[in-house]
Amino acid sequence: MNISTTSRTTSARTGTLMALASMSCVQLGLAVSVDLIGQVGAEGAALLRLAWAGLILLVAVRPRRRDFPGRTLGLTVALGVVTAGLTMLFMAAVARLPLGTASALEFLGPLGVAVARSRGGRTLLWPALAGVGVLLLTEPWHGGVDVVGVGFALAAAGCWASYIVLTQAVGDRVTGVHGLAVSLPVAGLVAALVAGPAVAPVLTPRLLVVGLGLALLLPVIPFSLEMLALRRLTTAAFGTLMSLEPAIALAAGLLLLHQVPGPWPLAGVVFVVVAGIGAERTGARQEPIAQHPAPTPLKGHSRVVETSAAGG
């Protein structure tokens, strides 16, 4: 093995560790959010996370109007609105469902985008596997499923799918991380409009500090790790790693929140993960023609976003 091959192997391993650390950081942030949700509500937890993250990026990047020509600014604002919806809906789902179940249901969003881009005879296999996984996760035959929580998770999945498309559109037009430096503050403003009046009376200095820490866990640190990982991994490899996130969420729920999954939900997560890996391998995005390198996408609750990595 020559020096070049050894270097590439080492770089790929480092990128893999960074991607896994990013996903672990996301799930740790979500697990920590459960306690915060109990104090300020799901919308309040989302507000603190988005407001701090938006402020950090706005100050660090300082985007300028000329960085957003034509329709780009409108697309970036739309991305911020979708990001706010994704975050608040997923927080509401986590307040009602086990973390692993909520994450697996939300993952149907990027899975759907990957399936839509898939080519070949196996295209319909992946949504079929995901559908079986959803049935196993929710166990409707028991009649005890939280329908509202499932609805929030599926709505978050829809927002995540929209987030992928918009992130790619913005990433193809804006250099670096300037798109995020606008979309996240917009998301913070939307969250403040929705949740601010109810949350403001219960905010304390301690909760503000907790919110800052949460914003660092999710998304500031994961974003930095993902940016470094994508310099070392192909888009397909990165997207396949992201398909493991529901399993990591299940482990985080078990270890940090003592949410012990039954055999059927555990099998459901496996079905969703397999569907995600399969869809990613057959649904790679065609590289866009862009004048600027695309920024790394942000995890909506979480995440990066599998196939969007190439363009946003």
Short mmCIF file of all heavy atoms in Angstrom, two decimals, residues 33 36-37 40-52 84 86-89 91-92 187-188 191 195 214:
data_model
loop_
_atom_site.label_atom_id
_atom_site.label_comp_id
_atom_site.label_asym_id
_atom_site.label_seq_id
_atom_site.Cartn_x
_atom_site.Cartn_y
_atom_site.Cartn_z
N SER A 33 -32.56 17.75 25.76
CA SER A 33 -33.71 18.62 25.53
C SER A 33 -34.97 18.13 26.24
O SER A 33 -35.87 18.92 26.53
CB SER A 33 -34.00 18.73 24.03
OG SER A 33 -32.92 19.30 23.35
N LEU A 36 -35.38 19.92 29.38
CA LEU A 36 -35.71 21.31 29.11
C LEU A 36 -37.15 21.46 28.64
O LEU A 36 -37.83 22.43 28.99
CB LEU A 36 -34.74 21.87 28.06
CG LEU A 36 -34.87 23.36 27.73
CD1 LEU A 36 -34.58 24.21 28.96
CD2 LEU A 36 -33.90 23.73 26.60
N ILE A 37 -37.62 20.49 27.84
CA ILE A 37 -39.01 20.51 27.39
C ILE A 37 -39.96 20.51 28.57
O ILE A 37 -41.00 21.17 28.57
CB ILE A 37 -39.28 19.31 26.45
CG1 ILE A 37 -38.59 19.52 25.11
CG2 ILE A 37 -40.79 19.12 26.23
CD1 ILE A 37 -38.64 18.32 24.19
N VAL A 40 -39.87 24.35 29.82
CA VAL A 40 -40.32 25.47 28.97
C VAL A 40 -41.20 25.00 27.83
O VAL A 40 -41.61 25.82 27.00
CB VAL A 40 -39.11 26.25 28.41
CG1 VAL A 40 -38.31 26.89 29.52
CG2 VAL A 40 -38.22 25.35 27.55
N GLY A 41 -41.51 23.70 27.75
CA GLY A 41 -42.33 23.19 26.67
C GLY A 41 -41.50 22.90 25.43
O GLY A 41 -40.36 23.37 25.30
N ALA A 42 -42.08 22.14 24.51
CA ALA A 42 -41.37 21.78 23.28
C ALA A 42 -41.02 23.01 22.45
O ALA A 42 -39.91 23.13 21.92
CB ALA A 42 -42.22 20.80 22.46
N GLU A 43 -41.97 23.93 22.35
CA GLU A 43 -41.72 25.14 21.56
C GLU A 43 -40.64 26.00 22.20
O GLU A 43 -39.81 26.60 21.51
CB GLU A 43 -43.01 25.95 21.40
CG GLU A 43 -44.10 25.24 20.61
CD GLU A 43 -44.90 24.27 21.46
OE1 GLU A 43 -44.62 24.17 22.67
OE2 GLU A 43 -45.78 23.59 20.91
N GLY A 44 -40.63 26.06 23.54
CA GLY A 44 -39.61 26.85 24.23
C GLY A 44 -38.22 26.28 24.04
O GLY A 44 -37.25 27.01 23.83
N ALA A 45 -38.10 24.94 24.09
CA ALA A 45 -36.81 24.30 23.88
C ALA A 45 -36.31 24.57 22.45
O ALA A 45 -35.13 24.84 22.23
CB ALA A 45 -36.91 22.80 24.14
N ALA A 46 -37.22 24.49 21.49
CA ALA A 46 -36.86 24.78 20.11
C ALA A 46 -36.44 26.23 19.95
O ALA A 46 -35.47 26.55 19.24
CB ALA A 46 -38.03 24.46 19.18
N LEU A 47 -37.16 27.14 20.60
CA LEU A 47 -36.83 28.56 20.53
C LEU A 47 -35.43 28.84 21.05
O LEU A 47 -34.64 29.54 20.41
CB LEU A 47 -37.86 29.37 21.31
CG LEU A 47 -37.53 30.84 21.57
CD1 LEU A 47 -37.34 31.60 20.26
CD2 LEU A 47 -38.63 31.50 22.40
N LEU A 48 -35.09 28.29 22.21
CA LEU A 48 -33.77 28.54 22.79
C LEU A 48 -32.66 28.00 21.89
O LEU A 48 -31.65 28.66 21.67
CB LEU A 48 -33.68 27.89 24.17
CG LEU A 48 -34.48 28.59 25.29
CD1 LEU A 48 -34.46 27.74 26.56
CD2 LEU A 48 -33.91 29.97 25.56
N ARG A 49 -32.89 26.82 21.35
CA ARG A 49 -31.88 26.24 20.48
C ARG A 49 -31.67 27.07 19.23
O ARG A 49 -30.53 27.40 18.84
CB ARG A 49 -32.31 24.81 20.11
CG ARG A 49 -31.48 24.20 19.01
CD ARG A 49 -32.12 22.93 18.47
NE ARG A 49 -31.60 22.63 17.14
CZ ARG A 49 -32.09 21.69 16.37
NH1 ARG A 49 -33.10 20.96 16.76
NH2 ARG A 49 -31.56 21.48 15.17
N LEU A 50 -32.76 27.44 18.56
CA LEU A 50 -32.65 28.17 17.30
C LEU A 50 -32.15 29.60 17.50
O LEU A 50 -31.36 30.09 16.69
CB LEU A 50 -34.01 28.18 16.60
CG LEU A 50 -34.49 26.83 16.06
CD1 LEU A 50 -35.93 26.94 15.56
CD2 LEU A 50 -33.58 26.34 14.94
N ALA A 51 -32.62 30.25 18.55
CA ALA A 51 -32.22 31.64 18.77
C ALA A 51 -30.72 31.74 19.04
O ALA A 51 -30.02 32.59 18.46
CB ALA A 51 -33.01 32.22 19.94
N TRP A 52 -30.21 30.89 19.92
CA TRP A 52 -28.78 30.92 20.22
C TRP A 52 -27.95 30.52 19.00
O TRP A 52 -26.94 31.17 18.69
CB TRP A 52 -28.46 30.00 21.39
CG TRP A 52 -28.67 30.60 22.75
CD1 TRP A 52 -29.53 30.18 23.72
CD2 TRP A 52 -27.97 31.73 23.30
NE1 TRP A 52 -29.43 30.98 24.84
CE2 TRP A 52 -28.47 31.94 24.61
CE3 TRP A 52 -26.99 32.58 22.82
CZ2 TRP A 52 -28.02 32.95 25.43
CZ3 TRP A 52 -26.53 33.61 23.65
CH2 TRP A 52 -27.04 33.78 24.93
N ALA A 84 -37.41 26.16 11.22
CA ALA A 84 -38.17 26.40 12.45
C ALA A 84 -39.27 25.36 12.61
O ALA A 84 -39.47 24.80 13.70
CB ALA A 84 -38.76 27.81 12.44
N LEU A 86 -39.42 22.34 11.28
CA LEU A 86 -38.79 21.06 11.54
C LEU A 86 -38.41 20.92 13.01
O LEU A 86 -38.69 19.90 13.66
CB LEU A 86 -37.55 20.93 10.66
CG LEU A 86 -36.56 19.81 10.96
CD1 LEU A 86 -37.23 18.45 10.83
CD2 LEU A 86 -35.35 19.90 10.03
N THR A 87 -37.77 21.94 13.55
CA THR A 87 -37.28 21.87 14.92
C THR A 87 -38.43 21.82 15.93
O THR A 87 -38.43 21.00 16.85
CB THR A 87 -36.39 23.08 15.22
OG1 THR A 87 -35.34 23.14 14.25
CG2 THR A 87 -35.78 22.99 16.61
N MET A 88 -39.41 22.70 15.77
CA MET A 88 -40.51 22.74 16.73
C MET A 88 -41.37 21.49 16.66
O MET A 88 -41.79 20.95 17.70
CB MET A 88 -41.35 24.01 16.50
CG MET A 88 -40.62 25.28 16.89
SD MET A 88 -41.66 26.77 16.83
CE MET A 88 -41.84 26.96 15.07
N LEU A 89 -41.62 21.00 15.45
CA LEU A 89 -42.44 19.79 15.31
C LEU A 89 -41.73 18.57 15.89
O LEU A 89 -42.34 17.73 16.56
CB LEU A 89 -42.77 19.55 13.84
CG LEU A 89 -43.79 20.52 13.23
CD1 LEU A 89 -43.78 20.41 11.71
CD2 LEU A 89 -45.19 20.25 13.77
N MET A 91 -39.39 18.57 18.26
CA MET A 91 -39.38 18.70 19.71
C MET A 91 -40.73 18.28 20.30
O MET A 91 -40.79 17.62 21.34
CB MET A 91 -39.05 20.15 20.11
CG MET A 91 -37.61 20.54 19.86
SD MET A 91 -36.46 19.68 20.94
CE MET A 91 -34.95 20.57 20.63
N ALA A 92 -41.81 18.65 19.62
CA ALA A 92 -43.13 18.25 20.09
C ALA A 92 -43.30 16.74 20.02
O ALA A 92 -43.94 16.12 20.89
CB ALA A 92 -44.21 18.94 19.26
N ALA A 187 -35.03 31.29 11.34
CA ALA A 187 -35.69 30.23 12.11
C ALA A 187 -35.89 30.67 13.55
O ALA A 187 -36.95 30.40 14.15
CB ALA A 187 -34.86 28.95 12.04
N GLY A 188 -34.89 31.33 14.11
CA GLY A 188 -35.02 31.83 15.48
C GLY A 188 -36.14 32.85 15.61
O GLY A 188 -36.89 32.85 16.59
N ALA A 191 -39.51 31.03 15.43
CA ALA A 191 -39.76 30.36 16.70
C ALA A 191 -40.15 31.36 17.78
O ALA A 191 -41.01 31.09 18.63
CB ALA A 191 -38.53 29.56 17.13
N ALA A 195 -43.49 30.94 19.77
CA ALA A 195 -43.38 30.49 21.15
C ALA A 195 -42.99 31.57 22.14
O ALA A 195 -43.15 31.39 23.35
CB ALA A 195 -42.37 29.35 21.24
N LEU A 214 -27.28 23.88 24.78
CA LEU A 214 -28.02 23.04 23.84
C LEU A 214 -27.74 23.44 22.40
O LEU A 214 -27.58 22.58 21.53
CB LEU A 214 -29.51 23.15 24.13
CG LEU A 214 -30.46 22.37 23.20
CD1 LEU A 214 -30.16 20.89 23.26
CD2 LEU A 214 -31.91 22.65 23.57
#
